[in-house]
Amino acid sequence: MSKFAVFGLGYTGLSILNTLKKENTVLGISRETQAEDSILLDLSDRAALENFRKENLGAKFDASLITFPAQKLENREQVFDTIFSISKTVWMFGSTSIYQRITSDITEKTPLDPEHDRYETENQFLEKGGKILRLSGIYGPGRNPANWARKGSVKKTKRQLNLIHGDDISEAVRLLLSYPGNDLPSELILSDGQWHTWLEIFRFLEDHGKIQAIPEEKMDREDSFIDSSLIRKFLPGLQTKDFWGELEKLEELI
């Protein structure tokens, strides 16, 4: 049985913890969220982090996953050193927003934006031998894209919306951590690979009487389609949920 550690028990971390626990020994670590058999640890507390490192040096984790935005930690160097010292492999979540929008499709080869707030931290992490899974916009129960439209935080344009369901993230992580080979790239992209625009989503909600009809607006910025075909070559069994079916569930239409 493999032994994993999940750092950060937010929306995705908690789901991943529960998924991995079905077949593995998993330790959840969070600053304020406590689940069954997880521990509370403030990673910004240097002394507490050092004690955690000493306590776990004896039996290394087969893999650890950092689910929170590590660039916000002032002591991220210590955090990385600690996690790498107690783990055979370390993964970290990133965001596809770090890629420059210079082509119609975004892949792992697309240049990164050096001005992005994750840029330096990710480079530091990769230099230590870590692997990054960059996620598209996360949706699912409690994260309904329709609410973004209702709140006016998005506009009714033809802009492409790249998404990934929270459950699909958990399954992808499970498959990545159990991958038998040693040829996984250090950077991978995860999206549902489906084409949908905000214009289509607005019209769907309008047609079902979920929001008031409003005029279409012009795109205020360019966007690109997130191509996640590379990760599917390594994980051919990976399935992702149908967006429109999930939206119907979230809107209680079925």
Side-chain angles (χ1 to χ4, degrees), residues 155-157 199 202 206 212-218:
K155 297 181 179 180
K156 185 179 179 181
T157 70
L199 176 63
F202 269 82
E206 292 168 355
Q212 185 177 357
I214 60 174
E216 177 186 348
E217 298 186 41
K218 293 183 178 180

Side-chain angles (χ1 to χ4, degrees), residues 6 22 69 76 116 118 142 151 220:
V6 178
K22 296 175 183 178
R76 58 181 177 272
H116 197 280
R118 294 176 183 260
K151 294 176 182 178
D220 56 351

Side-chain angles (χ1 to χ4, degrees), residues 154-173:
V154 293
K155 297 181 179 180
K156 185 179 179 181
T157 70
K158 292 186 175 70
R159 185 166 172 264
Q160 165 70 22
L161 177 62
N162 300 288
L163 294 171
I164 184 66
H165 194 283
D167 291 348
D168 295 334
I169 298 174
S170 297
E171 179 60 12
V173 168

Side-chain angles (χ1 to χ4, degrees), residues 195-207:
W195 289 87
H196 26 57
T197 66
W198 275 117
L199 176 63
E200 294 170 315
I201 294 170
F202 269 82
R203 285 178 175 171
F204 173 88
L205 296 171
E206 292 168 355
D207 290 345

Side-chain angles (χ1 to χ4, degrees), residues 45-56:
D45 185 329
R46 295 178 182 272
L49 183 58
E50 176 59 17
N51 289 334
F52 173 79
R53 185 189 68 82
K54 292 178 180 178
E55 292 170 359
N56 289 278

Side-chain angles (χ1 to χ4, degrees), residues 56-101:
N56 289 278
L57 275 177
K60 282 197 172 186
F61 295 101
D62 292 288
S64 290
L65 172 67
I66 301 172
T67 70
F68 61 88
Q71 75 273 12
K72 295 183 178 180
L73 288 173
E74 292 184 1
N75 64 325
R76 58 181 177 272
E77 179 77 26
Q78 182 196 14
V79 171
F80 287 162
D81 286 344
T82 296
I83 297 177
F84 276 93
S85 71
I86 61 174
S87 311
K88 297 177 183 176
T89 305
V90 184
W91 282 87
M92 182 170 71
F93 283 158
S95 170
T96 55
S97 65
I98 198 173
Y99 291 103
Q100 295 183 38
R101 265 54 180 178

